[in-house]
Amino acid sequence: MKTRVMLNYAKTVLESVSFDSKLFYKELQKALDHLVPYDVEQLGKWVNSFVQEKPELSDSLHLLTV
């Protein structure tokens, strides 16, 4: 249950900082460092769809392949 809370928190933070691509990148890095592998996969799927609506954030996608 705690991992779901962390995943939802990461999504909320990323949505709230999506106005700034550098801040989005930093927060995505933090989220990837703190989430368990399953939640990293789920966050990756979410980020991919979220970035489609905000192409200015696409530089952050390479974090998901590392």
Side-chain angles (χ1 to χ4, degrees):
M1 181 68 178
K2 183 179 179 185
T3 60
R4 178 64 50 191
V5 172
M6 291 299 294
L7 176 61
N8 289 335
Y9 176 74
K11 288 178 184 178
T12 301
V13 169
L14 290 170
E15 285 176 334
S16 68
V17 299
S18 64
F19 65 90
D20 182 339
S21 61
K22 289 180 183 176
L23 193 51
F24 185 87
Y25 183 92
K26 282 176 132 179
E27 291 299 331
L28 180 56
Q29 275 184 313
K30 283 194 234 178
L32 294 174
D33 289 343
H34 290 96
L35 293 174
V36 296
Y38 175 78
D39 285 345
V40 168
E41 182 180 329
Q42 296 304 307
L43 184 64
K45 291 176 184 177
W46 179 85
V47 168
N48 276 318
S49 66
F50 187 73
V51 168
Q52 286 180 354
E53 299 169 15
K54 296 182 175 275
E56 65 274 13
L57 303 174
S58 63
D59 289 345
S60 299
L61 289 176
H62 86 278
L63 288 174
L64 300 174
T65 59
V66 172

Short mmCIF file of all heavy atoms in Angstrom, two decimals:
data_model
loop_
_atom_site.label_atom_id
_atom_site.label_comp_id
_atom_site.label_asym_id
_atom_site.label_seq_id
_atom_site.Cartn_x
_atom_site.Cartn_y
_atom_site.Cartn_z
N MET A 1 0.82 -1.20 0.00
CA MET A 1 0.00 0.00 0.00
C MET A 1 0.86 1.26 0.00
O MET A 1 0.55 2.21 -0.68
CB MET A 1 -0.92 -0.04 1.22
CG MET A 1 -1.84 1.14 1.31
SD MET A 1 -3.04 1.10 -0.01
CE MET A 1 -3.98 2.52 0.38
N LYS A 2 1.96 1.23 0.75
CA LYS A 2 2.81 2.41 0.82
C LYS A 2 3.39 2.78 -0.54
O LYS A 2 3.51 3.95 -0.87
CB LYS A 2 3.94 2.19 1.82
CG LYS A 2 4.81 3.40 2.00
CD LYS A 2 5.90 3.17 3.00
CE LYS A 2 6.73 4.43 3.09
NZ LYS A 2 7.87 4.29 3.93
N THR A 3 3.73 1.77 -1.34
CA THR A 3 4.30 2.07 -2.65
C THR A 3 3.28 2.78 -3.53
O THR A 3 3.64 3.67 -4.30
CB THR A 3 4.81 0.81 -3.36
OG1 THR A 3 3.74 -0.10 -3.54
CG2 THR A 3 5.94 0.17 -2.60
N ARG A 4 2.03 2.41 -3.43
CA ARG A 4 0.98 3.08 -4.21
C ARG A 4 0.88 4.55 -3.81
O ARG A 4 0.71 5.42 -4.64
CB ARG A 4 -0.35 2.36 -4.01
CG ARG A 4 -1.52 2.95 -4.70
CD ARG A 4 -1.44 2.95 -6.19
NE ARG A 4 -1.10 1.63 -6.69
CZ ARG A 4 -0.75 1.37 -7.94
NH1 ARG A 4 -0.73 2.33 -8.82
NH2 ARG A 4 -0.43 0.17 -8.31
N VAL A 5 1.00 4.81 -2.52
CA VAL A 5 0.96 6.19 -2.02
C VAL A 5 2.13 6.98 -2.60
O VAL A 5 1.97 8.11 -3.06
CB VAL A 5 0.97 6.22 -0.48
CG1 VAL A 5 1.13 7.63 0.04
CG2 VAL A 5 -0.30 5.58 0.07
N MET A 6 3.31 6.38 -2.60
CA MET A 6 4.50 7.06 -3.13
C MET A 6 4.35 7.31 -4.63
O MET A 6 4.75 8.37 -5.13
CB MET A 6 5.76 6.24 -2.86
CG MET A 6 6.13 6.20 -1.39
SD MET A 6 6.49 7.83 -0.70
CE MET A 6 7.95 8.26 -1.59
N LEU A 7 3.79 6.35 -5.35
CA LEU A 7 3.58 6.53 -6.79
C LEU A 7 2.61 7.67 -7.04
O LEU A 7 2.88 8.54 -7.89
CB LEU A 7 3.07 5.22 -7.41
CG LEU A 7 2.71 5.28 -8.89
CD1 LEU A 7 3.93 5.64 -9.73
CD2 LEU A 7 2.12 3.95 -9.34
N ASN A 8 1.52 7.70 -6.32
CA ASN A 8 0.55 8.78 -6.50
C ASN A 8 1.14 10.13 -6.11
O ASN A 8 0.88 11.14 -6.76
CB ASN A 8 -0.71 8.50 -5.68
CG ASN A 8 -1.52 7.36 -6.28
OD1 ASN A 8 -1.44 7.08 -7.47
ND2 ASN A 8 -2.28 6.69 -5.45
N TYR A 9 1.96 10.14 -5.07
CA TYR A 9 2.62 11.37 -4.66
C TYR A 9 3.57 11.86 -5.75
O TYR A 9 3.59 13.05 -6.09
CB TYR A 9 3.38 11.15 -3.35
CG TYR A 9 4.17 12.36 -2.91
CD1 TYR A 9 3.51 13.46 -2.38
CD2 TYR A 9 5.55 12.40 -3.05
CE1 TYR A 9 4.22 14.59 -1.98
CE2 TYR A 9 6.27 13.52 -2.65
CZ TYR A 9 5.60 14.61 -2.12
OH TYR A 9 6.31 15.72 -1.74
N ALA A 10 4.32 10.94 -6.34
CA ALA A 10 5.25 11.31 -7.42
C ALA A 10 4.49 11.90 -8.61
O ALA A 10 4.92 12.91 -9.18
CB ALA A 10 6.05 10.08 -7.86
N LYS A 11 3.37 11.31 -8.96
CA LYS A 11 2.56 11.84 -10.06
C LYS A 11 2.06 13.24 -9.74
O LYS A 11 2.10 14.13 -10.60
CB LYS A 11 1.37 10.92 -10.34
CG LYS A 11 1.74 9.61 -10.98
CD LYS A 11 0.49 8.77 -11.16
CE LYS A 11 0.75 7.40 -11.70
NZ LYS A 11 -0.50 6.62 -11.82
N THR A 12 1.61 13.43 -8.51
CA THR A 12 1.11 14.75 -8.10
C THR A 12 2.20 15.80 -8.18
O THR A 12 1.99 16.90 -8.70
CB THR A 12 0.54 14.67 -6.67
OG1 THR A 12 -0.51 13.72 -6.64
CG2 THR A 12 0.02 16.02 -6.21
N VAL A 13 3.37 15.45 -7.69
CA VAL A 13 4.50 16.39 -7.73
C VAL A 13 4.86 16.69 -9.18
O VAL A 13 5.05 17.86 -9.55
CB VAL A 13 5.72 15.83 -6.96
CG1 VAL A 13 6.96 16.66 -7.23
CG2 VAL A 13 5.42 15.77 -5.47
N LEU A 14 4.96 15.68 -10.01
CA LEU A 14 5.33 15.89 -11.41
C LEU A 14 4.31 16.75 -12.14
O LEU A 14 4.68 17.62 -12.93
CB LEU A 14 5.52 14.55 -12.12
CG LEU A 14 6.76 13.78 -11.66
CD1 LEU A 14 6.74 12.36 -12.23
CD2 LEU A 14 8.03 14.49 -12.07
N GLU A 15 3.05 16.53 -11.86
CA GLU A 15 2.02 17.38 -12.48
C GLU A 15 2.17 18.83 -12.03
O GLU A 15 2.03 19.75 -12.84
CB GLU A 15 0.62 16.88 -12.11
CG GLU A 15 0.21 15.64 -12.84
CD GLU A 15 -1.13 15.11 -12.39
OE1 GLU A 15 -1.54 15.36 -11.23
OE2 GLU A 15 -1.77 14.42 -13.20
N SER A 16 2.49 19.02 -10.75
CA SER A 16 2.56 20.39 -10.24
C SER A 16 3.81 21.14 -10.70
O SER A 16 3.80 22.37 -10.69
CB SER A 16 2.47 20.39 -8.71
OG SER A 16 3.62 19.81 -8.14
N VAL A 17 4.86 20.44 -11.10
CA VAL A 17 6.07 21.13 -11.57
C VAL A 17 6.21 21.06 -13.09
O VAL A 17 7.23 21.47 -13.63
CB VAL A 17 7.35 20.56 -10.90
CG1 VAL A 17 7.29 20.74 -9.40
CG2 VAL A 17 7.59 19.12 -11.28
N SER A 18 5.20 20.60 -13.77
CA SER A 18 5.31 20.42 -15.22
C SER A 18 5.42 21.73 -16.00
O SER A 18 5.71 21.72 -17.18
CB SER A 18 4.13 19.60 -15.75
OG SER A 18 2.92 20.29 -15.56
N PHE A 19 5.26 22.85 -15.33
CA PHE A 19 5.43 24.14 -15.98
C PHE A 19 6.90 24.45 -16.27
O PHE A 19 7.21 25.31 -17.07
CB PHE A 19 4.84 25.27 -15.11
CG PHE A 19 5.56 25.45 -13.80
CD1 PHE A 19 6.63 26.32 -13.70
CD2 PHE A 19 5.18 24.73 -12.67
CE1 PHE A 19 7.31 26.48 -12.50
CE2 PHE A 19 5.84 24.88 -11.47
CZ PHE A 19 6.91 25.76 -11.38
N ASP A 20 7.81 23.72 -15.61
CA ASP A 20 9.25 23.95 -15.75
C ASP A 20 9.93 22.63 -16.08
O ASP A 20 9.97 21.72 -15.25
CB ASP A 20 9.78 24.53 -14.44
CG ASP A 20 11.26 24.86 -14.48
OD1 ASP A 20 11.99 24.32 -15.33
OD2 ASP A 20 11.70 25.65 -13.62
N SER A 21 10.48 22.51 -17.28
CA SER A 21 11.04 21.23 -17.71
C SER A 21 12.25 20.80 -16.87
O SER A 21 12.43 19.61 -16.61
CB SER A 21 11.42 21.28 -19.19
OG SER A 21 12.39 22.27 -19.43
N LYS A 22 13.05 21.75 -16.39
CA LYS A 22 14.20 21.39 -15.56
C LYS A 22 13.76 20.85 -14.20
O LYS A 22 14.32 19.89 -13.68
CB LYS A 22 15.13 22.59 -15.38
CG LYS A 22 15.87 22.96 -16.64
CD LYS A 22 16.77 24.14 -16.45
CE LYS A 22 17.43 24.49 -17.77
NZ LYS A 22 18.25 25.67 -17.67
N LEU A 23 12.76 21.48 -13.63
CA LEU A 23 12.23 21.03 -12.36
C LEU A 23 11.55 19.67 -12.51
O LEU A 23 11.69 18.79 -11.65
CB LEU A 23 11.25 22.07 -11.81
CG LEU A 23 10.82 21.95 -10.38
CD1 LEU A 23 11.99 21.82 -9.43
CD2 LEU A 23 9.97 23.15 -9.99
N PHE A 24 10.84 19.48 -13.61
CA PHE A 24 10.20 18.20 -13.89
C PHE A 24 11.25 17.11 -13.96
O PHE A 24 11.09 16.03 -13.38
CB PHE A 24 9.42 18.29 -15.21
CG PHE A 24 8.63 17.06 -15.54
CD1 PHE A 24 7.34 16.90 -15.05
CD2 PHE A 24 9.16 16.06 -16.34
CE1 PHE A 24 6.60 15.77 -15.36
CE2 PHE A 24 8.43 14.93 -16.66
CZ PHE A 24 7.15 14.78 -16.16
N TYR A 25 12.35 17.38 -14.63
CA TYR A 25 13.46 16.43 -14.77
C TYR A 25 14.01 16.05 -13.39
O TYR A 25 14.19 14.87 -13.09
CB TYR A 25 14.54 17.06 -15.64
CG TYR A 25 15.72 16.17 -15.93
CD1 TYR A 25 15.74 15.38 -17.08
CD2 TYR A 25 16.82 16.13 -15.09
CE1 TYR A 25 16.82 14.57 -17.37
CE2 TYR A 25 17.91 15.32 -15.37
CZ TYR A 25 17.91 14.55 -16.51
OH TYR A 25 18.99 13.74 -16.79
N LYS A 26 14.26 17.05 -12.55
CA LYS A 26 14.80 16.80 -11.20
C LYS A 26 13.85 15.96 -10.36
O LYS A 26 14.26 15.02 -9.68
CB LYS A 26 15.06 18.12 -10.47
CG LYS A 26 16.30 18.84 -10.88
CD LYS A 26 16.32 20.15 -10.14
CE LYS A 26 17.67 20.39 -9.52
NZ LYS A 26 17.74 21.66 -8.80
N GLU A 27 12.57 16.30 -10.41
CA GLU A 27 11.59 15.57 -9.61
C GLU A 27 11.39 14.15 -10.15
O GLU A 27 11.18 13.22 -9.37
CB GLU A 27 10.26 16.32 -9.58
CG GLU A 27 10.31 17.60 -8.78
CD GLU A 27 10.67 17.40 -7.31
OE1 GLU A 27 10.38 16.33 -6.74
OE2 GLU A 27 11.24 18.32 -6.72
N LEU A 28 11.50 13.96 -11.45
CA LEU A 28 11.40 12.63 -12.01
C LEU A 28 12.59 11.79 -11.56
O LEU A 28 12.43 10.62 -11.20
CB LEU A 28 11.32 12.68 -13.54
CG LEU A 28 11.21 11.34 -14.25
CD1 LEU A 28 10.02 10.53 -13.76
CD2 LEU A 28 11.14 11.55 -15.76
N GLN A 29 13.77 12.38 -11.55
CA GLN A 29 14.96 11.68 -11.05
C GLN A 29 14.75 11.22 -9.61
O GLN A 29 15.04 10.08 -9.25
CB GLN A 29 16.19 12.58 -11.10
CG GLN A 29 16.89 12.61 -12.41
CD GLN A 29 18.15 13.46 -12.32
OE1 GLN A 29 18.13 14.58 -11.81
NE2 GLN A 29 19.24 12.94 -12.83
N LYS A 30 14.25 12.10 -8.77
CA LYS A 30 14.01 11.77 -7.37
C LYS A 30 13.01 10.63 -7.24
O LYS A 30 13.21 9.69 -6.45
CB LYS A 30 13.47 12.99 -6.61
CG LYS A 30 14.51 14.01 -6.25
CD LYS A 30 13.90 14.95 -5.22
CE LYS A 30 14.02 16.36 -5.66
NZ LYS A 30 13.41 17.32 -4.73
N ALA A 31 11.94 10.71 -8.01
CA ALA A 31 10.91 9.68 -7.94
C ALA A 31 11.48 8.33 -8.35
O ALA A 31 11.23 7.31 -7.69
CB ALA A 31 9.73 10.05 -8.83
N LEU A 32 12.27 8.30 -9.40
CA LEU A 32 12.84 7.04 -9.89
C LEU A 32 13.80 6.44 -8.86
O LEU A 32 13.92 5.23 -8.76
CB LEU A 32 13.54 7.24 -11.22
CG LEU A 32 12.62 7.63 -12.39
CD1 LEU A 32 13.44 7.96 -13.62
CD2 LEU A 32 11.60 6.55 -12.67
N ASP A 33 14.47 7.30 -8.11
CA ASP A 33 15.40 6.83 -7.08
C ASP A 33 14.68 6.23 -5.86
O ASP A 33 15.23 5.38 -5.18
CB ASP A 33 16.31 7.96 -6.60
CG ASP A 33 17.34 8.36 -7.63
OD1 ASP A 33 17.59 7.59 -8.57
OD2 ASP A 33 17.89 9.47 -7.48
N HIS A 34 13.46 6.68 -5.60
CA HIS A 34 12.77 6.28 -4.37
C HIS A 34 11.69 5.23 -4.55
O HIS A 34 11.23 4.67 -3.56
CB HIS A 34 12.18 7.52 -3.69
CG HIS A 34 13.22 8.42 -3.13
ND1 HIS A 34 13.70 9.51 -3.80
CD2 HIS A 34 13.90 8.37 -1.96
CE1 HIS A 34 14.63 10.10 -3.07
NE2 HIS A 34 14.77 9.43 -1.94
N LEU A 35 11.28 4.97 -5.76
CA LEU A 35 10.20 4.01 -5.99
C LEU A 35 10.74 2.59 -6.18
O LEU A 35 11.87 2.41 -6.64
CB LEU A 35 9.38 4.41 -7.22
CG LEU A 35 8.57 5.70 -7.12
CD1 LEU A 35 7.94 6.04 -8.46
CD2 LEU A 35 7.50 5.56 -6.05
N VAL A 36 9.92 1.62 -5.87
CA VAL A 36 10.27 0.22 -6.12
C VAL A 36 10.13 -0.05 -7.62
O VAL A 36 9.42 0.69 -8.32
CB VAL A 36 9.37 -0.73 -5.29
CG1 VAL A 36 9.60 -0.54 -3.81
CG2 VAL A 36 7.91 -0.58 -5.64
N PRO A 37 10.80 -1.08 -8.13
CA PRO A 37 10.81 -1.34 -9.58
C PRO A 37 9.43 -1.39 -10.24
O PRO A 37 9.24 -0.85 -11.32
CB PRO A 37 11.54 -2.67 -9.69
CG PRO A 37 12.46 -2.67 -8.52
CD PRO A 37 11.69 -2.00 -7.42
N TYR A 38 8.46 -2.02 -9.59
CA TYR A 38 7.13 -2.09 -10.20
C TYR A 38 6.54 -0.70 -10.37
O TYR A 38 5.95 -0.38 -11.40
CB TYR A 38 6.19 -2.96 -9.35
CG TYR A 38 4.77 -2.96 -9.88
CD1 TYR A 38 4.44 -3.74 -10.98
CD2 TYR A 38 3.79 -2.16 -9.30
CE1 TYR A 38 3.14 -3.73 -11.49
CE2 TYR A 38 2.50 -2.15 -9.79
CZ TYR A 38 2.18 -2.94 -10.89
OH TYR A 38 0.90 -2.91 -11.40
N ASP A 39 6.69 0.15 -9.36
CA ASP A 39 6.16 1.50 -9.43
C ASP A 39 6.93 2.36 -10.42
O ASP A 39 6.36 3.25 -11.04
CB ASP A 39 6.14 2.15 -8.05
CG ASP A 39 5.02 1.60 -7.18
OD1 ASP A 39 4.10 0.95 -7.72
OD2 ASP A 39 5.07 1.82 -5.96
N VAL A 40 8.22 2.08 -10.59
CA VAL A 40 9.01 2.79 -11.61
C VAL A 40 8.42 2.49 -12.99
O VAL A 40 8.26 3.38 -13.83
CB VAL A 40 10.50 2.39 -11.55
CG1 VAL A 40 11.25 2.88 -12.77
CG2 VAL A 40 11.13 2.94 -10.28
N GLU A 41 8.07 1.24 -13.20
CA GLU A 41 7.47 0.85 -14.48
C GLU A 41 6.13 1.56 -14.69
O GLU A 41 5.85 2.09 -15.77
CB GLU A 41 7.27 -0.66 -14.50
CG GLU A 41 6.70 -1.19 -15.79
CD GLU A 41 6.52 -2.69 -15.76
OE1 GLU A 41 7.29 -3.39 -15.08
OE2 GLU A 41 5.57 -3.17 -16.43
N GLN A 42 5.31 1.60 -13.65
CA GLN A 42 4.01 2.27 -13.74
C GLN A 42 4.18 3.78 -13.96
O GLN A 42 3.46 4.38 -14.76
CB GLN A 42 3.20 2.03 -12.46
CG GLN A 42 2.84 0.58 -12.23
CD GLN A 42 2.10 -0.03 -13.40
OE1 GLN A 42 1.09 0.51 -13.85
NE2 GLN A 42 2.61 -1.13 -13.89
N LEU A 43 5.15 4.37 -13.27
CA LEU A 43 5.41 5.80 -13.45
C LEU A 43 5.90 6.07 -14.87
O LEU A 43 5.52 7.07 -15.48
CB LEU A 43 6.44 6.29 -12.42
CG LEU A 43 6.72 7.79 -12.46
CD1 LEU A 43 5.47 8.59 -12.10
CD2 LEU A 43 7.86 8.14 -11.53
N GLY A 44 6.72 5.18 -15.40
CA GLY A 44 7.21 5.34 -16.77
C GLY A 44 6.07 5.37 -17.77
O GLY A 44 6.06 6.21 -18.68
N LYS A 45 5.11 4.50 -17.60
CA LYS A 45 3.94 4.49 -18.50
C LYS A 45 3.17 5.80 -18.37
O LYS A 45 2.74 6.39 -19.36
CB LYS A 45 3.03 3.32 -18.17
CG LYS A 45 3.63 1.97 -18.52
CD LYS A 45 2.72 0.84 -18.09
CE LYS A 45 3.37 -0.50 -18.35
NZ LYS A 45 2.54 -1.62 -17.86
N TRP A 46 3.00 6.26 -17.15
CA TRP A 46 2.28 7.50 -16.91
C TRP A 46 3.02 8.68 -17.52
O TRP A 46 2.42 9.53 -18.17
CB TRP A 46 2.07 7.69 -15.41
CG TRP A 46 1.35 8.97 -15.09
CD1 TRP A 46 0.00 9.16 -15.07
CD2 TRP A 46 1.95 10.23 -14.79
NE1 TRP A 46 -0.27 10.47 -14.76
CE2 TRP A 46 0.90 11.15 -14.59
CE3 TRP A 46 3.26 10.67 -14.66
CZ2 TRP A 46 1.14 12.48 -14.26
CZ3 TRP A 46 3.48 12.00 -14.34
CH2 TRP A 46 2.43 12.89 -14.14
N VAL A 47 4.34 8.75 -17.30
CA VAL A 47 5.14 9.86 -17.84
C VAL A 47 5.07 9.88 -19.37
O VAL A 47 4.93 10.94 -19.97
CB VAL A 47 6.60 9.79 -17.35
CG1 VAL A 47 7.49 10.75 -18.12
CG2 VAL A 47 6.68 10.10 -15.86
N ASN A 48 5.16 8.71 -19.99
CA ASN A 48 5.08 8.66 -21.45
C ASN A 48 3.78 9.27 -21.96
O ASN A 48 3.79 10.05 -22.91
CB ASN A 48 5.21 7.22 -21.95
CG ASN A 48 6.64 6.80 -22.09
OD1 ASN A 48 7.48 7.54 -22.56
ND2 ASN A 48 6.95 5.59 -21.65
N SER A 49 2.66 8.95 -21.33
CA SER A 49 1.39 9.53 -21.79
C SER A 49 1.29 11.01 -21.41
O SER A 49 0.76 11.81 -22.19
CB SER A 49 0.21 8.74 -21.25
OG SER A 49 0.13 8.84 -19.86
N PHE A 50 1.80 11.38 -20.26
CA PHE A 50 1.74 12.77 -19.81
C PHE A 50 2.57 13.67 -20.74
O PHE A 50 2.14 14.77 -21.08
CB PHE A 50 2.26 12.86 -18.37
CG PHE A 50 2.10 14.22 -17.75
CD1 PHE A 50 0.85 14.68 -17.37
CD2 PHE A 50 3.19 15.03 -17.51
CE1 PHE A 50 0.69 15.93 -16.78
CE2 PHE A 50 3.06 16.28 -16.93
CZ PHE A 50 1.80 16.73 -16.56
N VAL A 51 3.73 13.19 -21.14
CA VAL A 51 4.63 13.98 -21.99
C VAL A 51 4.05 14.17 -23.40
O VAL A 51 4.36 15.14 -24.07
CB VAL A 51 6.03 13.34 -22.02
CG1 VAL A 51 6.91 13.92 -23.09
CG2 VAL A 51 6.69 13.53 -20.66
N GLN A 52 3.21 13.27 -23.83
CA GLN A 52 2.57 13.44 -25.14
C GLN A 52 1.74 14.71 -25.17
O GLN A 52 1.65 15.37 -26.21
CB GLN A 52 1.70 12.23 -25.48
CG GLN A 52 2.51 11.02 -25.86
CD GLN A 52 1.64 9.83 -26.19
OE1 GLN A 52 0.43 9.87 -26.05
NE2 GLN A 52 2.28 8.77 -26.64
N GLU A 53 1.15 15.06 -24.04
CA GLU A 53 0.37 16.30 -23.95
C GLU A 53 1.24 17.53 -23.74
O GLU A 53 0.81 18.64 -23.98
CB GLU A 53 -0.62 16.19 -22.79
CG GLU A 53 -1.62 15.07 -22.93
CD GLU A 53 -2.40 14.83 -21.65
OE1 GLU A 53 -2.37 15.70 -20.75
OE2 GLU A 53 -3.02 13.76 -21.54
N LYS A 54 2.47 17.31 -23.27
CA LYS A 54 3.40 18.41 -22.98
C LYS A 54 4.77 18.08 -23.58
O LYS A 54 5.68 17.66 -22.86
CB LYS A 54 3.52 18.63 -21.47
CG LYS A 54 2.24 19.07 -20.81
CD LYS A 54 2.46 19.29 -19.34
CE LYS A 54 1.24 19.84 -18.67
NZ LYS A 54 1.11 21.26 -18.75
N PRO A 55 4.92 18.25 -24.89
CA PRO A 55 6.17 17.84 -25.55
C PRO A 55 7.42 18.56 -25.05
O PRO A 55 8.52 18.06 -25.21
CB PRO A 55 5.91 18.15 -27.03
CG PRO A 55 4.66 18.94 -27.09
CD PRO A 55 3.94 18.79 -25.79
N GLU A 56 7.26 19.69 -24.39
CA GLU A 56 8.43 20.40 -23.86
C GLU A 56 9.12 19.61 -22.74
O GLU A 56 10.25 19.90 -22.37
CB GLU A 56 8.05 21.80 -23.36
CG GLU A 56 7.11 21.83 -22.18
CD GLU A 56 5.63 21.77 -22.53
OE1 GLU A 56 5.27 21.45 -23.67
OE2 GLU A 56 4.82 22.03 -21.63
N LEU A 57 8.45 18.59 -22.24
CA LEU A 57 9.02 17.75 -21.18
C LEU A 57 9.69 16.50 -21.72
O LEU A 57 10.19 15.68 -20.95
CB LEU A 57 7.92 17.35 -20.19
CG LEU A 57 7.16 18.49 -19.52
CD1 LEU A 57 6.02 17.94 -18.68
CD2 LEU A 57 8.09 19.35 -18.69
N SER A 58 9.73 16.33 -23.02
CA SER A 58 10.21 15.09 -23.62
C SER A 58 11.68 14.79 -23.33
O SER A 58 12.11 13.64 -23.40
CB SER A 58 9.96 15.08 -25.13
OG SER A 58 10.69 16.12 -25.73
N ASP A 59 12.47 15.79 -22.97
CA ASP A 59 13.88 15.54 -22.62
C ASP A 59 14.00 14.62 -21.42
O ASP A 59 15.00 13.94 -21.26
CB ASP A 59 14.61 16.85 -22.32
CG ASP A 59 14.84 17.70 -23.56
OD1 ASP A 59 14.70 17.17 -24.68
OD2 ASP A 59 15.16 18.89 -23.40
N SER A 60 12.99 14.59 -20.59
CA SER A 60 13.01 13.76 -19.39
C SER A 60 12.80 12.27 -19.69
O SER A 60 13.10 11.43 -18.84
CB SER A 60 11.93 14.21 -18.42
OG SER A 60 12.15 15.54 -18.03
N LEU A 61 12.35 11.95 -20.87
CA LEU A 61 12.04 10.56 -21.20
C LEU A 61 13.28 9.67 -21.18
O LEU A 61 13.17 8.48 -20.91
CB LEU A 61 11.36 10.45 -22.56
CG LEU A 61 9.93 10.98 -22.61
CD1 LEU A 61 9.40 10.90 -24.04
CD2 LEU A 61 9.03 10.21 -21.66
N HIS A 62 14.43 10.23 -21.45
CA HIS A 62 15.63 9.38 -21.45
C HIS A 62 15.94 8.82 -20.07
O HIS A 62 16.61 7.81 -19.93
CB HIS A 62 16.84 10.12 -22.05
CG HIS A 62 17.59 10.95 -21.07
ND1 HIS A 62 17.19 12.21 -20.72
CD2 HIS A 62 18.70 10.68 -20.35
CE1 HIS A 62 18.03 12.69 -19.82
NE2 HIS A 62 18.96 11.80 -19.58
N LEU A 63 15.44 9.45 -19.01
CA LEU A 63 15.62 8.92 -17.66
C LEU A 63 14.95 7.57 -17.49
O LEU A 63 15.38 6.75 -16.68
CB LEU A 63 15.05 9.87 -16.61
CG LEU A 63 15.81 11.16 -16.35
CD1 LEU A 63 15.01 12.05 -15.40
CD2 LEU A 63 17.17 10.86 -15.76
N LEU A 64 13.91 7.34 -18.25
CA LEU A 64 13.16 6.09 -18.13
C LEU A 64 13.85 4.93 -18.78
O LEU A 64 13.54 3.78 -18.49
CB LEU A 64 11.76 6.28 -18.73
CG LEU A 64 10.93 7.37 -18.09
CD1 LEU A 64 9.63 7.55 -18.86
CD2 LEU A 64 10.64 7.05 -16.63
N THR A 65 14.81 5.18 -19.65
CA THR A 65 15.51 4.10 -20.35
C THR A 65 16.83 3.75 -19.70
O THR A 65 17.49 2.82 -20.10
CB THR A 65 15.76 4.48 -21.82
OG1 THR A 65 16.55 5.66 -21.87
CG2 THR A 65 14.45 4.69 -22.56
N VAL A 66 17.23 4.51 -18.70
CA VAL A 66 18.51 4.28 -18.03
C VAL A 66 18.38 3.21 -16.98
O VAL A 66 17.40 2.98 -16.39
CB VAL A 66 19.05 5.58 -17.41
CG1 VAL A 66 20.28 5.35 -16.57
CG2 VAL A 66 19.32 6.59 -18.50
#
